[in-house]
């Protein structure tokens, strides 16, 4: 119940609410210790006995630890000149508050940029109406009136929405109004007669409520006697018909949601209801067949992370995507994520350029399987899909490669000066040339420049040398109670990553973090794999004590994420790097991903930058990966809907889990999908989807359940890994089977009369 409600009064006042087709005959005043306001009431509502009491029964409640809710519940009648009395009205979903006339917030300690409900002024000249329990119709109409009130109050704000999004923005307001009410009992009563599920009407709130009211008025349900009676009533009014038809009809809004998704993500392939997005990097230009294989497997969107690589690499990836798409006649869109103000570890100095080749051994150290080594020229292409080498050596030596035959033996001296042999076991034609598979029965450490010769009984024949061995990735191994020093330097130039005192060292490229953190604040690395507590800070250094790591320690390498959930860091929104990268994105991509969106100012800046580049058609994906972004999601959507650009939301669950708490993730991702469904905005399901399958070729049971949850969204994103093609193919089969599976295929689950 709403705290302090004392009385309800009815007055007469002739006016009209033409937007909703109601003739207004009276208005309602609710008086309370902290709440008093006058509201216009559509005349038909007074035909329902006890309706006015039900308006005060649906009260916002705190549905979690992240936010609370308070409500208003009818349409303000601004024309009345009765005396005024101050009160605070606000709604927070999860934190959305109104503003008083002086600009201060209605809710202490909460900021706002968009008033969704009025901060109140009201009067009281009333006679009391005693509360009593009435039927479902009165309750549902009270909810309906509250939804209309929210729309009426925000009419001026909604008019600022682009014409493409006006209806969707209005439905979002309707959903927020419904969400602000405590209607659990009403939900149970409606579901008990199999009538209306208020949890599934997000996409078409007003039309569903109007249809429910009309049906309930024709088939009145008496909750006390459980009898059904038929009558005529307000269902004959034109107002409900208007809300059930036209641009707010259920079918129209469903088509609008589908059309919005198509504008951003493209048309879906046959037999699929969900897109597949894949993140690619430099590996896409190292293989001539990867992009073709990904598209054939079912990929419809390619994602490039601007935090890695540069324009030269991005251009080549895009060229290959477009070429493969054209050849295969399979449409594929390109999303480029701006790096954003993400905190990352700095680059560690590159390790030596050496590759270890290791045969498989048993518990006694005996070789049971030789290592498989792939030999080819640098530009020849990657090994065929059915071949799985343990190591790849690129050889500069056309003469050597042209003379190789199966059963030939190739010799080399490894980095330790030890002679090793490679026996050729098969020959394979590839994209540009030929490659060979060889086996190696002894461990070898091969570095760039190592010379290769064909071994002959009498002499060594023509040779070549190994090239392009990548440097080993350096890392710091951290254990619980270790100390880690984070320096302000852009890059750690020293070879020694651990000081003489045992303190590990790493850099952070985001300088503003050093001015904001405080001792005692928790800090996480690499999407929460490592946790610590800040022990001390200075202008150029942060000292961290590690509190959580793997049992044998955890590796921390270059460009890994840093999260400080409780710190009040002043992020800059679009960074200078983002603005430079946006020039490239605007000219080459179909969509831009905006990372770490926190408030409306980020959207305003993005809008300005896109207008400068004349890209009002560039798709926008807002990445929700912080607590602020989640709490202000409705405001972010409403602000973005002022632009004509196709719009979507990505649930970036890595940083989001660290920022908001692992235990809150199930609730948070469900809420994001619900809000976006109401706004008719497509959702991208991201982070660690089928991660075990992508990395090792075998999925976990939990990952399959995660995919099932992801099928509620418009797009599922996979990250790169050595088994990415197999993972895309597997996901494509799941999505295709889900959309085409017939009931006949599940006959074993059905029961027949013979089972009893």
């Amino acid at each position: 119940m709403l705290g302090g409600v004392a009385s309800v009064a009815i007055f007469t006042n002739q006016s009209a609410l033409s937007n909703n087709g109601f003739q207004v005959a009276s208005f309602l005043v609710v008086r309370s210790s902290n709440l008093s306001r006058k509201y216009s009431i559509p005349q038909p509502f007074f035909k329902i006995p006890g309706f006015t009491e039900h308006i005060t029964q649906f009260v916002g409640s705190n549905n979690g630890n992240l936010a609370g809710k308070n409500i208003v519940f009818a349409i303000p009648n601004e024309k009345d000149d009765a005396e005024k009395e101050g009160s605070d009205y606000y709604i927070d979903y999860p934190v959305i508050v109104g503003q008083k006339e002086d600009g201060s917030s209605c809710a202490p300690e909460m900021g706002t940029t968009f008033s969704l409900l009025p901060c109140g002024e009201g009067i009281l000249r009333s006679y009391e109406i005693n509360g009593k329990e009435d039927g479902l119709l009165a309750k549902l109409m009270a909810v309906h009136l509250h939804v209309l009130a929210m729309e009426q109050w925000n009419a001026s704000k909604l008019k600022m929405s682009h014409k493409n999004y006006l209806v969707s923005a209005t439905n979002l307001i309707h959903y927020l109004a419904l969400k602000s009410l405590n209607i659990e009992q009403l939900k149970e009563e409606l579901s008990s007669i199999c009538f209306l599920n208020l949890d599934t009407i997000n996409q078409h709130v007003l039309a569903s409520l109007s249809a429910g009211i009309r049906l309930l008025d024709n088939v009145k349900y008496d909750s006390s006697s459980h009898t059904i009676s038929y009558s005529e009533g307000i269902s004959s009014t034109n107002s409900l018909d208007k809300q059930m038809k036209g641009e707010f009809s259920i079918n129209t809004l469903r088509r609008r949601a589908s059309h919005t998704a198509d504008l951003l993500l493209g048309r879906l392939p046959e037999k699929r209801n969900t897109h597949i997005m894949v993140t690619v990097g430099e590996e896409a230009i190292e293989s001539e067949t990867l992009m073709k294989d990904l598209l054939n497997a079912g990929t419809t969107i390619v994602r490039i992370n601007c935090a890695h690589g540069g324009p030269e690499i991005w251009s080549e990836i895009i060229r290959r995507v477009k070429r493969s798409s054209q050849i295969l006649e399979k449409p594929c869109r390109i999303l480029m994520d701006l790096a954003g103000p993400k905190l990352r570890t700095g680059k560690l100095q590159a390790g030596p350029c050496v590759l270890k080749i290791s045969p498989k051994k048993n518990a006694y150290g005996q070789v049971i399987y030789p290592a498989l080594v792939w030999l080819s020229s640098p530009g020849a292409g990657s090994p065929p899909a059915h071949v799985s080498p343990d190591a790849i050596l690129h050889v500069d030596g056309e003469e050597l490669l042209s003379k190789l035959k199966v059963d030939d033996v190739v010799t080399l001296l490894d980095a330790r000066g030890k002679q090793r042999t490679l026996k050729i076991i098969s020959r394979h034609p590839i994209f540009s040339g030929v490659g060979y598979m060889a086996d190696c029965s002894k461990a070898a450490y091969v570095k760039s420049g190592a010379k290769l010769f064909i071994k002959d009984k009498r002499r060594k024949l023509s040779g070549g040398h190994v090239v392009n061995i990548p440097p080993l990735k350096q890392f710091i191994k951290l254990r619980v109670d270790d100390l880690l020093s984070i320096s302000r330097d852009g890059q750690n130039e020293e070879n020694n990553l651990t000081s003489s005192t045992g303190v590990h060292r790493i850099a952070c490229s985001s300088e503003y973090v050093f001015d904001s953190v405080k001792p005692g604040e928790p800090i996480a690395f690499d999407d929460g794999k490592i946790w610590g507590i800040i022990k001390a800070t200075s202008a150029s250094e942060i000292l961290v004590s590690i509190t959580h790591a793997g049992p044998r320690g955890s590796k921390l390498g270059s460009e890994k994420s840093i999260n400080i959930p409780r710190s009040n860091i002043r992020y800059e929104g679009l960074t200078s790097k983002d603005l430079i990268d946006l020039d490239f994105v605007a000219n080459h991509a179909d969509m831009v991903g905006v990372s770490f969106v926190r408030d409306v100012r980020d959207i305003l800046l993005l809008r300005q930058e896109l207008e400068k580049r004349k890209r009002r058609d560039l798709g926008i994906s807002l990445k929700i990966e912080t607590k602020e972004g989640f709490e202000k999601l409705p405001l972010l959507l409403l602000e973005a809907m002022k632009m004509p650009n196709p719009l979507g939301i990505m649930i970036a669950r890595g940083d989001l889990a660290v920022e908001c708490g692992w235990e809150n993730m199930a609730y948070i991702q469900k809420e994001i999908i619900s809000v976006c469904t109401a706004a008719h905005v497509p959702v991208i399901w991201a982070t660690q989807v089928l991660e075990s399958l992508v990395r090792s070729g075998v999925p976990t049971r939990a990952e399959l359940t995660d995919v099932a949850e992801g099928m509620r969204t418009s797009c599922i994103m996979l990250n790169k890994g050595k088994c990415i093609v197999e993972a895309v193919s597997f996901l494509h089969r799941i999505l295709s089977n889900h959309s085409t599976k017939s009931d006949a295929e599940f006959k074993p689950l059905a029961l027949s009369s013979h089972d009893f």
Side-chain angles (χ1 to χ4, degrees):
M1 294 294 294
L2 187 63
V5 171
S7 61
V8 180
I10 299 178
F11 294 79
T12 59
N13 180 27
Q14 296 295 330
S15 61
L17 289 177
S18 57
N19 287 346
N20 295 303
F22 287 122
Q23 293 300 315
V24 177
S26 304
F27 62 84
L28 178 75
V29 174
V30 178
R31 183 181 186 181
S32 70
S33 58
N34 65 343
L35 185 122
S36 180
R37 183 77 179 183
K38 178 172 56 179
Y39 296 100
S40 300
I41 302 296
Q43 183 175 359
F45 286 113
F46 289 102
K47 295 183 179 182
I48 307 303
F51 162 74
T52 53
E53 294 91 320
H54 289 303
I55 294 180
T56 64
Q57 291 180 5
F58 304 117
V59 182
S61 62
N62 192 339
N63 294 326
N65 296 325
L66 291 180
K69 297 182 177 67
N70 284 317
I71 65 163
V72 298
F73 39 79
I75 302 174
N77 183 359
E78 298 175 354
K79 295 183 179 180
D80 193 88
D81 296 325
E83 61 179 292
K84 299 178 180 179
E85 182 178 313
S87 63
D88 287 345
Y89 289 62
Y90 63 92
I91 179 173
D92 47 359
Y93 180 80
V95 179
I96 302 172
V97 304
Q99 287 182 328
K100 299 179 181 178
E101 291 184 359
D102 61 2
S104 62
S105 170
C106 296
E109 301 178 0
M110 293 182 182
T112 183
T113 55
F114 190 106
S115 176
L116 287 182
L117 284 178
C119 292
E121 297 168 341
I123 68 166
L124 177 68
R125 294 290 183 270
S126 67
Y127 59 87
E128 295 190 1
I129 296 177
N130 296 324
K132 61 181 179 179
E133 197 68 24
D134 293 301
L136 287 175
L137 181 56
K139 296 177 182 179
L140 197 60
M141 294 191 72
V143 174
H144 184 268
L145 179 62
H146 173 63
V147 169
L148 294 177
M150 179 76 94
E151 178 186 345
Q152 182 79 359
W153 179 256
N154 292 283
S156 61
K157 302 288 186 181
L158 289 170
K159 288 179 181 178
M160 300 171 66
S161 302
H162 190 272
K163 62 180 181 179
N164 295 348
Y165 292 110
L166 178 58
V167 172
S168 298
T170 305
N171 189 72
L172 175 58
I173 293 294
H174 294 163
Y175 169 76
L176 297 176
L178 183 66
K179 191 71 177 177
S180 71
L181 301 177
N182 184 1
I183 51 176
E184 292 305 314
Q185 183 179 352
L186 177 59
K187 288 180 182 178
E188 292 178 6
E189 292 177 4
L190 290 170
S191 62
S192 68
I193 58 172
C194 304
F195 183 72
L196 178 65
N197 186 351
L198 295 181
D199 288 324
T200 61
I201 66 172
N202 306 21
Q203 206 171 62
H204 32 73
V205 176
L206 192 62
S208 296
L209 292 176
S210 300
I213 290 171
R214 181 165 185 168
L215 287 172
L216 272 177
D217 188 56
N218 289 326
V219 186
K220 288 186 178 178
Y221 177 79
D222 188 337
S223 60
S224 59
S225 62
H226 294 274
T227 60
I228 296 178
S229 64
Y230 294 83
S231 69
E232 293 184 3
I234 65 164
S235 60
S236 61
T237 61
N238 294 330
S239 58
L240 294 178
D241 288 335
K242 287 182 179 179
Q243 294 161 18
M244 293 164 56
K245 298 177 181 178
E247 60 185 2
F248 281 98
S249 71
I250 292 176
N251 288 335
T252 299
L253 292 182
R254 285 175 176 170
R255 287 194 296 269
R256 177 177 291 275
S258 177
H259 177 66
T260 303
D262 288 347
L263 285 178
L264 180 73
L265 305 173
R267 297 293 297 273
L268 282 161
E270 285 187 42
K271 302 180 181 179
R272 280 240 308 265
N273 296 324
T274 309
H275 285 276
I276 298 177
M277 179 186 296
V278 176
T279 301
V280 300
E282 290 190 47
E283 72 281 357
I285 63 177
E286 294 170 355
S287 168
E288 291 292 337
T289 61
L290 179 59
M291 291 316 311
K292 182 186 71 174
D293 294 340
L294 287 175
L295 267 60
N296 273 328
T299 301
T300 52
I301 304 170
V302 166
R303 171 180 174 263
I304 299 172
N305 189 350
C306 293
H308 307 290
E312 184 177 347
I313 294 174
W314 305 337
S315 296
E316 181 60 21
I317 293 174
I318 292 171
R319 185 188 69 82
R320 296 191 181 206
V321 171
K322 292 183 175 180
R323 183 183 66 182
S324 299
S325 175
Q326 186 176 11
I327 292 174
L328 299 173
E329 296 184 347
K330 292 180 180 290
C332 182
R333 296 202 172 182
I334 296 169
L335 166 68
M336 296 189 70
D337 270 357
L338 302 178
K342 183 169 184 172
L343 303 180
R344 296 181 183 272
T345 58
K347 292 184 179 180
L348 300 176
Q349 189 177 48
C353 296
V354 62
L355 175 66
K356 183 181 179 180
I357 300 175
S358 301
K360 303 295 187 296
K361 297 182 179 181
N362 61 17
Y364 300 100
Q366 300 168 332
V367 174
I368 53 177
Y369 298 111
L372 297 178
V373 182
W374 175 261
L375 301 175
S376 68
S377 59
S382 57
H386 66 280
V387 172
S388 300
D390 299 303
I392 296 177
L393 296 181
H394 291 130
V395 180
D396 184 4
E398 290 297 328
E399 186 179 358
L400 171 73
L401 294 172
S402 64
K403 293 182 178 180
L404 277 178
K405 301 185 298 294
V406 174
D407 293 331
D408 279 351
V409 175
V410 177
T411 64
L412 63 86
L413 288 178
D414 75 357
R416 303 166 298 173
K418 295 186 177 182
Q419 182 170 305
R420 293 292 183 256
T421 59
L422 306 174
K423 183 178 179 180
I424 306 299
I425 58 175
S426 59
R427 181 180 185 275
H428 303 272
I430 49 178
F431 184 80
S432 177
V434 65
Y436 300 88
M437 187 66 80
D439 61 30
C440 180
S441 300
K442 292 184 178 181
Y445 293 81
V446 182
K447 63 180 182 180
S448 292
K451 295 183 178 180
L452 303 177
F453 297 94
I454 300 176
K455 187 176 181 180
D456 187 80
K457 293 181 179 180
R458 293 169 293 179
R459 67 186 192 282
K460 292 181 179 179
L461 299 178
S462 56
H465 62 275
V466 177
V467 295
N468 299 342
I469 297 289
L472 292 176
K473 293 183 178 180
Q474 296 282 69
F475 60 85
I476 299 170
K477 197 163 190 176
L478 296 171
R479 296 177 173 83
V480 175
D481 294 329
D482 281 356
L483 292 177
L484 174 66
S485 171
I486 306 174
S487 68
R488 200 180 188 112
D489 302 327
Q491 183 174 352
N492 194 332
E493 298 288 349
E494 300 182 42
N495 292 325
N496 188 8
L497 301 178
T498 304
S499 69
S500 57
T501 59
V503 178
H504 303 286
R505 296 197 303 267
I506 202 164
C508 176
S509 56
S510 303
E511 295 188 354
Y512 48 85
V513 68
F514 295 89
D515 303 322
S516 306
V517 298
K518 300 176 182 177
E521 292 178 338
I523 183 170
F525 302 92
D526 197 5
D527 288 339
K529 294 183 177 68
I530 304 169
W531 282 85
I533 294 291
I534 295 175
K535 290 295 184 181
T537 65
S538 69
S540 60
E541 186 179 18
I542 300 172
L543 186 63
V544 177
S545 176
I546 302 302
T547 58
H548 173 80
R552 298 183 180 181
S554 297
K555 297 177 180 179
L556 180 61
S558 302
E559 298 183 328
K560 298 300 181 181
S561 64
I562 301 176
N563 296 90
I564 313 175
R566 299 181 190 172
S567 179
N568 187 24
I569 300 176
R570 297 181 180 179
Y571 295 94
E572 56 183 310
L574 291 178
T575 66
S576 55
K577 179 184 184 322
D578 291 338
L579 297 179
I580 295 173
D581 292 344
L582 187 58
D583 291 332
F584 182 93
V585 174
N587 290 323
H588 296 86
D590 302 298
M591 294 172 272
V592 59
V594 188
S595 301
F596 291 90
V597 179
R598 284 176 169 81
D599 56 42
V600 172
R601 289 172 294 182
D602 297 337
I603 307 297
L604 292 172
L605 178 57
L606 175 67
R607 180 180 182 179
Q608 294 170 4
E609 295 300 328
L610 291 180
E611 287 178 349
K612 288 180 184 177
R613 293 161 177 81
K614 299 180 180 180
R615 283 304 309 266
R616 295 168 63 87
D617 61 333
L618 182 67
I620 298 173
S621 170
L622 303 179
K623 296 178 65 178
I624 305 302
E625 44 196 334
T626 65
K627 182 178 179 181
E628 299 96 314
F630 166 65
E631 291 179 341
K632 296 178 182 178
L633 177 58
L635 302 181
L636 298 175
L637 288 171
L638 289 167
E639 185 63 35
M641 285 177 171
K642 296 176 183 178
M643 297 184 284
N645 303 68
L647 177 64
I649 293 292
M650 178 183 286
I651 310 178
R653 298 183 294 170
D655 286 288
L656 192 59
V658 177
E659 292 279 337
C660 297
W662 306 97
E663 66 278 9
N664 294 317
M665 272 308 298
Y667 161 76
I668 288 173
Q669 60 194 30
K670 178 182 176 182
E671 286 297 295
I672 293 175
I673 293 174
S674 295
V675 173
C676 292
T677 300
H680 309 141
V681 169
V683 174
I684 301 169
W685 187 259
T687 312
Q688 293 184 316
V689 181
L690 293 177
E691 185 175 35
S692 297
L693 176 59
V694 170
R695 293 185 175 183
S696 65
V698 180
T700 66
R701 277 69 172 174
E703 287 176 347
L704 300 179
T705 304
D706 185 52
V707 168
E709 186 74 8
M711 286 192 289
R712 297 173 55 202
T713 66
S714 300
C715 179
I716 296 177
M717 189 187 90
L718 301 179
N719 280 321
K720 54 190 176 181
K722 66 178 183 179
C723 300
I724 184 60
V725 175
E726 293 84 348
V728 172
S729 180
F730 180 79
L731 180 57
H732 171 71
R733 292 197 301 273
I734 292 177
L735 298 177
S736 300
N737 290 342
H738 173 73
S739 61
T740 60
K741 191 74 73 176
S742 65
D743 294 338
E745 295 181 71
F746 295 101
K747 281 185 177 178
L749 297 180
L751 295 176
S752 67
S753 59
H754 301 292
D755 296 319
F756 297 95

